[in-house]
Amino acid sequence: MIDSMRDTLFGYGDTGIVVWTVLKILAIAVPVIIAVAMFVYWERKVIGWMHVRMGPNQIGPLGLLQAFADVFKLLFKEVILPANSNKVLYYLAPMIALVPAFAAWSVIPFDAGLVLANVNVGLLLLLAMTSLGVYGIILAGWASNSRYAMLGAMRAAAQTVSYEIAMGFALVSVMIMTGSLNLTDIVLAQQGSKGFFDWYWLPLLPMFVIYFISGVAETNRAPFDVAEGESEIVAGFHVEYSGSAFAIFFLAEYANMILIAFLASVLFMGGWLSPLQGWINADVPWVDWLWKGGWQWTFIKAFMFSFFYLWFRASFPRYRYDQIMRLGWKVFIPITIVWVVAAACMKYYGIVTIGA
Amino acid sequence: MTFELVCFYFFGAVAALAALAVISVKNPVVAALNLVLTFFSMACVWLLAQAEFLAVALVLVYVGAVMVLFLFVVMMLDVDFAPVREGFVRFLPVGIVVAVVMLVEMLMMIGVRSLQVPVSADPAALAGMSNMGWLGRTLFRDFLLPFEVAALILTVGLIAAIPLTLRKRSGIKTQNPGRQVMVKREDRIRLVKMDAVKKGEATP
């Protein structure tokens, strides 16, 4: 059905190709938005259980409609412009935060061939897009004309730039192992007959841990959420935002979180590959994705990593600001530099071979 | 006019307008943001020319890191730019002369080169590999020594910048996070055993 739809659209020439591309983009963007809404509900539920509370349970069955109630409440609220703020930049900031958060999704492979843009420099593009997100935060902080927002923006900018280096090195080690920047190639290089021992989490274990922790720090989430440390600077960079402008910041932050979860699963946990690959080879309809691999595994792994975010948030107290900087510069970056060399040696001496 | 050509003119126009705005707008933060837009549009132009690595590296290094720090400084300093701008009209003729000389030089270079060497095909496409792979192979196989020397010079510059600005200040209190993490209960709390004092007993 999808094929016939595509062929019909391609029959209209250039216009059809544009319409088809927009449809593909919507097929990723709309589920991401819905996933963000449900993820917020899931977060409140999980943290509630960890606190021995119920979490949201009033609106809809099991409180499932709570997320949508929140969204509609936010959308109908008034957006207040603070006095003496820079009007253009104030309204531009949430959009600048949102665009990179969604653009990065274009290179995520969900299954073999199931990717919007199969670009050769996918990994670099991801790094570039995640580093662009900080502009939204800085602009929001500056344009709001508020001391608290300014301090939050400063903290967020310094933190994001610092952790990007450790994150970049972790990606470099994955690139050394694969010999390619294409994300589909990276997943395929983790294929093999030794099940989940073929994935990169094993040879690159320190990088895997550092990548995920840096991802948490990069998205300014607990325990690294000093950018919006409520007890110190009210709510940080978005303290002056209300209504839909605030909702967009929220959307961008959660889209980035889910993106990091997907990336951790694609880069280090074999993406759509099954943890049982090579051990079982039976052909059974409907359930053979369990050992042959399929898009379901990408989503299961991503769900696991996004759950870690909530787990961390409910478990750890917030880091002090200088401790965050120390962890990034004095602990993570030296370890990553050493492990990049170690990864190169493992690759050169054939300790880790791709696709076997 | 193909779609690519339309894109090229669009990105080029945006880059030129943003570059003009960088030197003409009053607000330094807006100027810095326009510089970001210039970099980004140039990266798009390079993408059209299929120099994908260069384009993404430009966004990653300049837009993602350098300009963030630049913006940081501009916002923190809160410089009053009015006195700096006073000489704008006075120095405008000198500026125009410099710009014209640079333009002529650039045109001459492009003109001389295009006369000398016929435009060759994309070497990456000739070698039958991706732009990225070709660049890596050329840098690390054919030009390894110059590349390493350049890297060494940059590292020396980096280290030199740190001792130049690093100075020991006396009379300030600093924390040692390593010791803070290693702290034990015994370092903070001392439990003292004392006999209970009974009523009526004289306290020494």
Side-chain angles (χ1 to χ4, degrees):
Chain A
M1 191 200 87
I2 294 172
D3 280 341
S4 67
M5 202 169 103
R6 184 188 59 192
D7 292 339
T8 324
L9 277 174
F10 279 9
Y12 292 108
D14 282 352
T15 332
I17 293 174
V18 170
V19 171
W20 177 244
T21 315
V22 169
L23 280 179
K24 281 200 287 190
I25 292 171
L26 285 179
I28 290 180
V30 173
V32 167
I33 293 173
I34 295 172
V36 165
M38 294 324 290
F39 188 47
V40 175
Y41 162 77
W42 178 240
E43 175 177 30
R44 293 177 61 182
K45 224 35 186 175
V46 166
I47 292 179
W49 291 330
M50 284 185 181
H51 294 169
V52 203
R53 297 187 277 112
M54 295 298 285
N57 63 351
Q58 293 298 311
I59 304 169
L62 300 171
L64 267 168
L65 297 179
Q66 178 72 48
F68 298 100
D70 287 347
V71 168
F72 285 118
K73 187 193 85 174
L74 275 176
L75 291 183
F76 287 119
K77 275 174 121 176
E78 184 189 358
V79 182
I80 299 164
L81 184 73
N84 292 326
S85 58
N86 191 320
K87 193 178 174 185
V88 177
L89 291 183
Y90 181 81
Y91 288 126
L92 196 67
M95 294 172 215
I96 290 185
L98 187 69
V99 168
F102 274 80
W105 281 90
S106 60
V107 290
I108 300 285
F110 298 98
D111 196 353
L114 194 63
V115 52
L116 178 61
N118 197 11
V119 291
N120 279 329
V121 287
L123 212 53
L124 271 181
L125 191 82
L126 271 174
L127 210 57
M129 281 303 152
T130 45
S131 66
L132 280 183
V134 71
Y135 277 103
I137 294 176
I138 298 184
L139 283 183
W142 185 78
S144 298
N145 188 30
S146 156
R147 292 287 175 275
Y148 289 128
M150 188 68 189
L151 283 172
M154 288 297 162
R155 288 181 177 193
Q159 186 179 329
T160 313
V161 171
S162 311
Y163 276 87
E164 219 156 68
I165 303 170
M167 210 170 182
F169 273 123
L171 297 184
V172 163
S173 68
V174 171
M175 188 195 77
I176 289 173
M177 283 287 169
T178 314
S180 169
L181 285 170
N182 185 312
L183 286 165
T184 306
D185 286 351
I186 286 171
V187 174
L188 289 178
Q190 301 178 57
Q191 262 179 339
S193 54
K194 294 191 287 292
F196 59 93
F197 294 112
D198 267 317
W199 299 346
Y200 285 152
W201 68 269
L202 189 59
L204 301 176
L205 188 60
M207 291 304 213
F208 170 47
V209 174
I210 286 175
Y211 177 79
F212 193 64
I213 296 175
S214 303
V216 176
E218 178 112 350
T219 45
N220 294 322
R221 291 296 298 183
F224 303 100
D225 59 343
V226 289
E228 42 189 293
E230 297 90 344
S231 51
E232 302 152 20
I233 49 172
V234 195
F237 62 91
H238 55 51
V239 63
E240 301 292 343
Y241 282 86
S242 61
S244 51
F246 172 74
I248 291 176
F249 273 121
F250 213 70
L251 184 62
E253 181 177 333
Y254 277 75
N256 270 327
M257 284 164 67
I258 304 176
L259 178 81
I260 295 286
F262 265 94
L263 276 180
S265 68
V266 163
L267 297 175
F268 294 97
M269 296 299 270
W272 65 81
L273 302 175
S274 158
L276 307 171
Q277 56 173 345
W279 292 344
I280 308 173
N281 287 313
D283 276 320
V284 185
W286 296 109
V287 289
D288 60 357
W289 61 268
L290 274 172
W291 51 85
K292 282 184 170 171
W295 55 268
Q296 295 94 332
W297 278 115
T298 318
F299 285 89
I300 291 171
K301 289 164 188 168
F303 179 76
M304 189 182 77
F305 282 113
S306 46
F307 176 73
F308 284 170
Y309 267 101
L310 315 181
W311 195 4
F312 290 165
R313 183 176 161 188
S315 306
F316 297 122
R318 185 178 292 137
Y319 262 86
R320 210 173 57 204
Y321 188 71
D322 64 316
Q323 289 173 337
I324 291 183
M325 284 298 151
R326 174 176 172 269
L327 184 72
W329 287 98
K330 292 188 178 171
V331 181
F332 279 179
I333 292 176
I335 295 177
T336 49
I337 290 175
V338 169
W339 211 260
V340 163
V341 178
C345 290
M346 275 191 271
K347 172 83 175 170
Y348 185 77
Y349 292 109
I351 298 171
V352 178
T353 48
I354 57 169
Chain B
M1 199 145 71
T2 59
F3 185 60
E4 265 187 39
L5 205 61
V6 175
C7 285
F8 172 77
Y9 281 127
F10 176 73
F11 294 139
V14 171
L17 285 178
L20 200 67
V22 173
I23 53 169
S24 59
V25 292
K26 281 215 178 74
N27 192 328
V29 174
V30 178
L33 283 172
N34 272 302
L35 193 55
V36 172
L37 186 59
T38 316
F39 282 141
F40 202 82
S41 315
M42 278 324 288
C44 292
V45 171
W46 289 353
L47 262 186
L48 281 182
Q50 293 181 341
E52 59 225 26
F53 175 73
L54 217 54
V56 179
L58 178 77
V59 173
L60 189 61
V61 176
Y62 280 92
V63 178
V66 174
M67 284 313 292
V68 171
L69 295 177
F70 204 82
L71 215 57
F72 210 93
V73 172
V74 171
M75 286 173 178
M76 287 287 260
L77 287 182
D78 204 18
V79 194
D80 186 13
F81 276 78
V84 184
R85 296 195 160 266
E86 269 173 6
F88 188 71
V89 179
R90 200 150 52 87
F91 293 120
L92 195 60
V94 187
I96 289 175
V97 168
V98 171
V100 167
V101 170
M102 274 167 71
L103 183 70
V104 169
E105 280 178 350
M106 252 190 270
L107 286 178
M108 274 168 66
M109 194 178 70
I110 297 168
V112 168
R113 269 189 69 85
S114 64
L115 283 180
Q116 277 177 347
V117 218
V119 179
S120 61
D122 184 4
L126 280 182
M129 54 175 95
S130 73
N131 178 285
M132 178 85 201
W134 182 82
L135 202 66
R137 203 157 286 227
T138 318
L139 266 186
F140 292 104
R141 187 170 288 174
D142 305 344
F143 298 102
L144 183 61
L145 187 66
F147 183 81
E148 291 295 330
V149 169
L152 199 68
I153 291 172
L154 278 176
T155 314
V156 169
L158 186 78
I159 296 170
I162 296 169
L164 278 179
T165 53
L166 188 73
R167 59 205 159 93
K168 266 269 182 285
R169 285 169 63 193
S170 56
I172 53 161
K173 286 180 178 172
T174 51
Q175 290 158 335
N176 184 346
R179 279 188 59 203
Q180 287 182 329
V181 172
M182 294 294 285
V183 76
K184 290 191 178 61
R185 194 192 65 163
E186 286 74 35
D187 304 335
R188 293 280 188 268
I189 300 172
R190 191 162 57 96
L191 292 178
V192 185
K193 189 109 181 154
M194 290 178 81
D195 292 330
V197 179
K198 282 177 188 141
K199 220 177 206 174
E201 243 175 62
T203 44

